[in-house]
Amino acid sequence: MITPLILNDGITNFLAEETKDLRFKHKTHDGIVYKPPSVVTGHILPSFEEQDDMSDYPYISVMVDNIKQKDDGLFSTVNILIEFGIYEVGTFTKSGELIRDSSGYRDILNLIEFTRQRLFELKTIDNKYRLESNFFEAGMYSEQFYPLW
């Protein structure tokens, strides 16, 4: 197997283990339940064909973004793109009224920061891939597709 794919799988497996106890809203046909994010290799495109199908959320997708060869030709730098997705309709009052707000913004930023901290503490993947000291950069889309974050 090609080394960048092994690295990609190592990060995917690491994040799956680290996030297994986290809980985020997940929409089912029976209502809202809480579950850990699905951690997958590759890009997840939301399915808008069926508005009620949010089965992929919450998620973390891990994929190779690009590979840069070092000058000596023996080593390379692999940039990994990690995408996050959260389903968040808003906040419910004690009486059960839904308030459409941007609470999903908080959930996704918490998930991004949780991931950053875990990777920073690790420093290496599978005891063979070294993470560079300035390895993490995060951002969000300027326009969100409510209720997806």
Side-chain angles (χ1 to χ4, degrees):
M1 187 178 277
I2 300 172
T3 302
L5 292 177
I6 298 170
L7 169 62
N8 196 88
D9 290 346
I11 292 173
T12 301
N13 294 336
F14 171 76
L15 291 177
E17 180 63 27
E18 290 295 309
T19 60
K20 69 181 181 186
D21 294 329
L22 299 179
R23 297 292 181 266
F24 296 97
K25 286 181 184 171
H26 172 70
K27 183 178 180 185
T28 68
H29 292 292
D30 297 325
I32 304 291
V33 297
Y34 289 84
K35 69 178 259 282
S38 299
V39 183
V40 299
T41 298
H43 187 63
I44 290 182
L45 291 174
S47 171
F48 293 109
E49 294 172 7
E50 185 179 331
Q51 287 297 99
D52 289 337
D53 182 17
M54 299 297 159
S55 58
D56 293 332
Y57 289 81
Y59 72 85
I60 299 173
S61 66
V62 181
M63 67 202 99
V64 173
D65 187 37
N66 61 58
I67 303 166
K68 296 178 185 175
Q69 184 171 308
K70 300 276 186 169
D71 292 334
D72 59 13
L74 296 175
F75 298 97
S76 60
T77 299
V78 178
N79 289 320
I80 301 290
L81 177 64
I82 302 174
E83 291 185 343
F84 303 86
I86 296 287
Y87 171 83
E88 177 58 70
V89 294
T91 306
F92 290 94
T93 64
K94 289 182 180 180
S95 64
E97 178 186 352
L98 172 64
I99 299 172
R100 286 180 60 160
D101 58 21
S102 58
S103 55
Y105 179 78
R106 299 176 66 84
D107 285 345
I108 200 142
L109 285 179
N110 281 327
L111 184 55
I112 291 169
E113 180 60 13
F114 179 88
T115 300
R116 186 196 68 79
Q117 288 177 10
R118 292 307 183 272
L119 289 171
F120 182 75
E121 291 168 2
L122 187 65
K123 307 265 187 187
T124 60
I125 300 293
D126 288 344
N127 294 318
K128 56 186 160 193
Y129 303 108
R130 182 176 49 88
L131 298 175
E132 294 184 358
S133 59
N134 59 346
F135 67 89
F136 198 90
E137 184 177 317
M140 291 185 60
Y141 296 113
S142 59
E143 293 184 30
Q144 297 306 129
F145 300 101
Y146 175 87
L148 307 177
W149 294 87

